[in-house]
Structures are given as C-alpha cells and as structure tokens.
Amino acid sequence: MAIRKKEYINTNVYDESLSRIRYLFDAFDKVVVSFSGGKDSTAVLNTSLKVAKEKNKLPLEVVFFDEEAIHPPTIEYVKRVYDLEEVDLKWYCLEFKHRNACSNEEPFWYTWDKDKKDLWVREMPDEAIKEHKAFKKGMSFQEFSPYLYDKSEGRIAMLTGIRTQESLRRFQVIARKKNDAYINSRAEKGRNQYRAFPIYDWSSEDVWLAAHKFKWDYNKTYDIFNQTKLYNNFLTQRVCPPFGEEPLRGLWIYSECFPDMWHKMLNRVEGVSTAWRYGNSELYSNSLSKPDHLTYKEYLNVILDSYEHDSKNDVKRTINQYIKNHKKESSRPILDTEINPLSGVCWQWLCRIAIRGDFKGRQSNTLKVQAMKEREKLKITLEEAIKLYK
Amino acid sequence: MKQPLDKITWIDRDQLKPNNYNPNKVAPPELKLLKTSIIEDGWTQPIVINPDFTIVDGFHRWTISGHKEIHKLTKGKVPTVMISPKDLSQQQMATIRHNRARGTHSVLEMSNIITDMVNDGLDGSEIMSRLSMEKEEVTRLLFRAGIPKSQVFKDKDFSTAWNPK
C-alpha cells in the first residue's frame, strides 16, 4: 500500500483540531466523544468541550466502556469527568468478550460477567449502564459499537483519539483518504455512526503539552507509570485490558503499582499468577522451543493436549482443516520442517499455529506465500512443482 | 564472634509488632505457599526483631502465625532473633537487605525439576497443592519438556458410557 507523504500546513495541531471539530459539529446531527480514559481521549474530550461551548451544544455526550480490570486512577479520572456539568457521560459496564492469553484453559473472559460477581476485581460503579438493547453477552466491542445509537438519532460523529504516531497501520488508515482525512467516509456496518479522528496528527508530546498549557485534568495512572520502568517511554504507555497477548507482559505494573486490585486479578481469570511470573519468558513466547527428543509431528500432540476440552477442539479443527487442504494440494506426506512447495505446510508451522491458539484459521494467505517462497528456494516453477508434488 | 542466631527466643506472637514501613507485598498465592511451607517443614527461620520487639524481617511469617493451623503448632509462640540497629534508617536497611537478597528461579531449571517430580510418579494435582502453583504453571512447565498434560492430570473417573445409535 502506498503511503502518501505528509503535507504540512500553516497552523498548529491544536488549532487545526478545533477547526476539524467545528466542522464535525456542523456536518453531523450529533457529536459523541468515545472516551477511554487514556491521554489521547483527554485531548479529544477537551478540544471537543471547547468547541461545544462555543457552539452552545452543551452538555457534550461522552461514552466510556468500562472494562472492569482497569487502573484505579483511570476509574477516578472517569468519575471526575462524569461529574462535570458540561459532560453527559454514558458509563457502560457490559459483558464484553476479551482474550485471556494467560491461560490455555480459559482463553476468553467476560468483563462484568454476571455469573462471576464474586470474582469481579472491583464493585460496579453506581453510574453504570448495565444493559443495552443491541447488546448480548459475549459480543466483542467491534461487533457491538455500530449499534450503540439508534438510527432515529441521525448521523453521528464518533470522535476517537487515534493518532498516526502510534503505528504504521493507523497512519495508512488516515493517509488513504484524500479529503477529510480524519472522517470515515462510510458509516460502520451501514448504520449511522461515522468514526472521526480529530487529533490524528498530534504527537504524544503535543498531548502532554496541551494538558500542561490548558491545565487539563488527566488520568493519574501516567504519573504512576512515570515512577516505574516506563518512565519517559510515552509510546508504550497504553491503557487497555490486562490479560491479552501483549498486555500480559505488563502484569507486573499492576502488581507493583496497584497491589490491592492485583490480588483480586489473581483470581479473576485462570493463569494470571503464571503469566505474571513467566509472561516475558519462553513459557509464553510464540517462538517454538521443542524438546529435542520429539519430532514436530509428536510435539503437535503435546501442544494440543495443553488446551482444555472446548478450545482444544477449536484448535484441532483448524489444524485438521490445514491438513485436509494439504492433502488436496499434494499427495506427499507432511514433513517435519521442510515446507511443501504446493501447500506451504510442514509440522513445524502447524505447531506454531497450535501454540498461538489460532481459533479462526485465517492463515491461507500465509500458506500461499510460504509455498511460493519454497518454490523460489528450490528454483522450480508452479507447473514443475505440480508435476513433482501433486 | 557472637551471631544473632546464637540466641533464638520463642516469644508469644502477640508481643511482637509490625514496623510501619515494610515495602514487601506478598500476594495471596505466595502467602498460602508460606503457610504450606511452615505446615510441611515446620519453623525453619526466625523472625528478626529489634529490642522494642518491632519486626525487622518476617512480617508475613508473623501474620500467618496468627492463623489457626500455624498457631496451634507452637501455641502461638514464634522463634525470634534480635538485632540492634542504631537508628531507624539502619533498621530499614536491614529490612531491605533481608527482602532483596534473594534470587529468582530460572524457567528451564524449574521446568527440569517439575519434570523430575513427574517422572518420580508425583501427580500434577499434588505438585499444584504443595507448591501453591496454578494448573497453568504446572502444565506450561511440563509442556516445555514435552510432557502431555493428560499424563500428569489423569481423569480420576471413568468416562461416560455410550451406545451406538
């Protein structure tokens, strides 16, 4: 994908964001801030508040999805925002499905799970909205969010604090569009919400500078982070659910900074204690560390065996699908480490998929690329490979 | 040279008092392990106190000595040794030294030890309970050595019978 270059304009990011938000207020029936409690949210909230005041559109509607196991200072900050007179904050506590990469026994967990009230890491806040007519237990945020507002409310701009500095992919999302780079041109799932990114060009230093200049209130979790090893490393400071693949590497932050909540987190889902101790070691890495005395084919069974029944069946089904596809493409047996130049499969690769716990089986493109690379390595064409391996 | 350990005194736990600065936080699983350790191995280490009976090291051992199972082992008495730091800073330093002068277990060595235990015929559930480990930890450590979970956590019951339809 081609990335268009940045074209700098003669204004600063703060003033430019205000004009973007002014435009959003004019072009849409309703403007809503999607608020996470993170620092980028703070920037969107405060710039939007300023514009809403100018345009006499107070109170400003803000939505917050509370993911239960969140840093205590985040909760305090959200409460302060909730209490602002010029803000109408909808505080949702719904049973969203999230990945629990700490454990093979319980690969998913549900925030505010009504069946596990006794295990919640904190009490549900009084402000909570516990139900929504479009929500069913176990939905992901992506599945649910397009249905947040009824179509009768008109066209809604959902303001989000995504910044391109955070990742190349996010840069591409923004750069792909020619005009109004900060507004999605289509509503999600054909409904009535349009995501908009009014601070997409801010750096994290810009966010902190604005917070300082305009004395914005902010999430004090960042002050605590700055006392730990995350000091000055702005980009790695994220506020997100703690048990996923990447976040589990940072479980130590909870144990060091918020011991009371941590002690509850230990019982909330399976494997937290183990992930805390070994999250940054080979026991949780994606790299393969096969014992010498086993072949990859044998090792695959050990890996599958490490899953609990239901998840084991899911992963097994995926692996079987790959094996079936292989048989369609080639009559040769699957080899331990040598990639088949037609199917792209070998036992080592299947082990990697099994370790990652691929529940969805979205790897067919990878396989095609792998097979092609193998043919290049062997210096044979597709036709020759078909003759030899079909 | 005289050493604090030359004189171990058994004192009623209620006479000791915690210091107000202890930075060491022990999570519930480790506290449980400490309890198991005293129940299985007995008291092997004294609590370190200063002359006014404030705890310098051993706060968590002292805490669980109030739990019923531990209390009854020694009728509420705990072993102590006394040191005499010359001021509060010196005492705090002694606390930190006791807490931090310890190693971490390397993953691969742990994996080997647990594997040896299994090869010696120990059951996964026994390892879990006696070391306060989650199933996840035992499974992952053994998995690293290529031992399938089904070999370690055997189903205690027969599976359900069925007839062909």
Side-chain angles (χ1 to χ4, degrees):
Chain A
M1 195 181 305
I3 298 174
R4 292 195 307 134
K5 289 224 177 76
K6 297 176 181 176
E7 181 196 326
Y8 288 96
I9 44 180
N10 194 20
T11 172
N12 67 49
V13 290
Y14 177 74
D15 290 333
E16 190 58 25
S17 295
L18 293 178
S19 342
R20 287 171 195 149
I21 295 168
R22 281 182 199 115
Y23 174 75
L24 289 165
F25 267 99
D26 294 341
F28 286 85
D29 298 317
K30 187 175 183 150
V31 169
V32 177
V33 172
S34 171
F35 188 72
S36 71
K39 61 181 190 306
D40 301 338
S41 279
T42 296
V44 176
L45 172 72
N46 286 284
T47 45
S48 304
L49 265 178
K50 187 173 159 63
V51 175
K53 248 176 243 171
E54 276 173 27
K55 293 193 172 286
N56 233 335
K57 295 257 172 106
L58 292 175
L60 174 68
E61 184 150 333
V62 174
V63 285
F64 172 65
F65 290 96
D66 185 331
E67 288 165 320
E68 187 192 326
I70 55 181
H71 306 112
T74 304
I75 302 155
E76 289 157 19
Y77 175 48
V78 176
K79 177 80 173 90
R80 292 197 299 275
V81 174
Y82 181 93
D83 289 338
L84 293 175
E85 225 168 89
E86 57 270 42
V87 165
D88 176 16
L89 188 144
K90 311 280 188 216
W91 190 322
Y92 285 102
C93 292
L94 302 174
E95 296 171 283
F96 279 116
K97 183 181 190 174
H98 283 285
R99 175 89 167 104
N100 173 26
C102 300
S103 163
N104 287 330
E105 314 242 324
E106 189 188 342
F108 299 101
W109 70 294
Y110 303 91
T111 51
W112 303 113
D113 191 338
K114 292 195 177 100
D115 299 329
K116 294 191 171 173
K117 269 191 183 162
D118 50 325
L119 295 182
W120 290 353
V121 304
R122 39 183 268 261
E123 279 186 35
M124 195 182 274
D126 297 335
E127 296 81 3
I129 302 170
K130 302 168 201 169
E131 269 152 40
H132 185 287
K133 66 178 190 306
F135 185 82
K136 280 197 288 292
K137 177 177 179 173
M139 278 180 145
S140 70
F141 179 71
Q142 288 75 12
E143 283 169 326
F144 168 67
S145 63
Y147 301 92
L148 186 56
Y149 287 96
D150 199 86
K151 277 192 167 171
S152 64
E153 305 217 39
R155 293 168 73 245
I156 291 171
M158 278 299 256
L159 276 52
T160 310
I162 285 179
R163 293 180 300 104
T164 54
Q165 192 194 24
E166 282 180 82
S167 79
L168 190 59
R169 197 181 63 78
R170 287 176 173 191
F171 183 78
Q172 288 168 338
V173 168
I174 295 288
R176 225 184 293 151
K177 293 186 224 86
K178 275 212 155 62
N179 305 311
D180 294 345
Y182 59 99
I183 312 172
N184 272 4
S185 52
R186 262 190 248 151
E188 291 178 81
K189 296 254 168 72
R191 291 189 53 88
N192 57 337
Q193 291 170 49
Y194 297 75
R195 296 222 295 153
F197 318 99
I199 64 153
Y200 71 85
D201 50 357
W202 292 41
S203 68
S204 47
E205 290 79 5
D206 287 326
V207 177
W208 289 121
L209 179 65
H212 174 74
K213 258 189 141 103
F214 305 113
K215 301 197 167 51
W216 290 343
D217 186 11
Y218 63 93
N219 186 339
K220 300 292 189 278
T221 304
Y222 292 104
D223 295 344
I224 295 175
F225 282 0
N226 280 346
Q227 293 163 12
T228 72
K229 288 180 241 176
L230 294 174
Y231 178 69
N232 253 352
N233 190 356
F234 290 132
L235 277 176
T236 62
Q237 297 177 8
R238 290 247 177 110
V239 179
C240 56
F243 307 126
E245 245 90 25
E246 274 306 308
L248 71 76
R249 296 168 193 277
L251 283 171
W252 61 270
I253 299 171
Y254 288 85
S255 76
E256 270 187 26
C257 302
F258 314 111
D260 293 337
M261 175 179 274
W262 170 244
H263 293 169
K264 291 195 173 137
M265 285 168 62
L266 281 167
N267 286 320
R268 181 64 181 85
V269 295
E270 290 287 330
V272 178
S273 182
T274 310
W276 167 72
R277 201 182 289 277
Y278 301 108
N280 292 299
S281 84
E282 50 267 72
L283 290 197
Y284 276 87
S285 71
N286 285 332
S287 69
L288 282 183
S289 45
K290 175 184 73 65
D292 293 338
H293 63 280
L294 299 179
T295 64
Y296 279 105
K297 191 178 176 180
E298 292 164 332
Y299 188 45
L300 180 62
N301 284 319
V302 177
I303 298 167
L304 289 174
D305 189 63
S306 72
Y307 287 98
E308 207 50 15
H309 191 70
D310 286 348
S311 354
K312 188 198 282 188
N313 286 345
D314 287 344
V315 180
K316 246 187 186 164
R317 202 171 306 125
T318 309
I319 298 286
N320 281 338
Q321 195 56 47
Y322 289 128
I323 294 176
K324 228 163 110 187
N325 285 349
H326 166 86
K327 285 182 177 159
K328 246 189 261 167
E329 304 247 0
S330 173
S331 58
R332 301 285 192 90
I334 298 174
L335 299 178
D336 225 38
T337 55
E338 277 170 55
I339 294 167
N340 183 293
L342 284 177
S343 70
V345 169
C346 66
W347 290 114
Q348 184 179 22
W349 182 81
L350 291 172
C351 283
R352 190 169 299 136
I353 294 299
I355 282 188
R356 214 184 287 161
D358 188 342
F359 298 99
K360 294 192 179 122
R362 285 196 218 129
Q363 298 288 334
S364 50
N365 262 336
T366 316
L367 280 175
K368 275 185 199 131
V369 173
Q370 253 179 203
M372 194 181 75
K373 280 194 180 148
E374 191 63 20
R375 293 197 295 272
E376 279 169 13
K377 208 171 95 190
L378 298 171
K379 297 195 170 64
I380 54 172
T381 63
L382 179 60
E383 290 71 30
E384 290 168 324
I386 290 175
K387 259 183 228 154
L388 290 164
Y389 290 89
K390 181 82 188 177
Chain B
M1 201 179 101
K2 267 185 88 64
Q3 294 295 322
L5 268 178
D6 291 343
K7 197 180 165 210
I8 296 175
T9 315
W10 288 85
I11 300 181
D12 196 291
R13 70 175 301 282
D14 298 336
Q15 287 185 268
L16 306 190
K17 51 183 187 256
N19 63 55
N20 55 8
Y21 56 80
N22 188 22
N24 190 27
K25 301 274 182 255
V26 177
E30 280 71 37
L31 204 63
K32 201 172 146 217
L33 183 62
L34 192 57
K35 217 166 144 180
T36 312
S37 152
I38 294 178
I39 291 169
E40 296 220 351
D41 307 323
W43 281 95
T44 58
Q45 285 171 352
I47 291 169
V48 182
I49 55 175
N50 76 5
D52 69 3
F53 285 24
T54 303
I55 298 168
V56 177
D57 177 66
F59 169 73
H60 293 98
R61 271 168 286 153
W62 174 78
T63 307
I64 58 171
S65 71
H67 295 192
K68 214 167 54 195
E69 306 98 298
I70 308 289
H71 195 274
K72 72 176 182 202
L73 290 177
T74 56
K75 297 203 176 77
K77 300 239 190 268
V78 295
T80 63
V81 292
M82 197 173 284
I83 60 170
S84 304
K86 72 175 195 301
D87 57 28
L88 182 63
S89 305
Q90 295 298 318
Q91 181 185 318
Q92 289 170 325
M93 285 184 188
T95 299
I96 294 170
R97 280 192 294 262
H98 276 93
N99 278 332
R100 300 225 318 208
R102 69 186 61 193
T104 51
H105 286 181
S106 95
V107 183
L108 298 186
E109 296 302 321
M110 274 302 282
S111 169
N112 290 340
I113 295 178
I114 303 294
T115 308
D116 286 347
M117 290 178 184
V118 168
N119 290 338
D120 270 0
L122 253 71
D123 183 60
S125 336
E126 185 176 352
I127 297 174
M128 277 170 65
S129 71
R130 298 181 82 167
L131 289 178
S132 284
M133 281 184 179
E134 297 181 312
K135 193 173 184 188
E136 192 75 29
E137 182 171 2
V138 177
T139 308
R140 283 195 190 247
L141 286 169
L142 292 171
F143 167 78
R144 180 63 190 60
I147 297 183
K149 184 164 69 173
S150 48
Q151 277 182 26
V152 194
F153 294 95
K154 297 183 185 76
D155 286 327
K156 294 286 187 291
D157 294 322
F158 293 118
S159 49
T160 318
W162 55 277
N163 284 323
K165 261 195 200 167

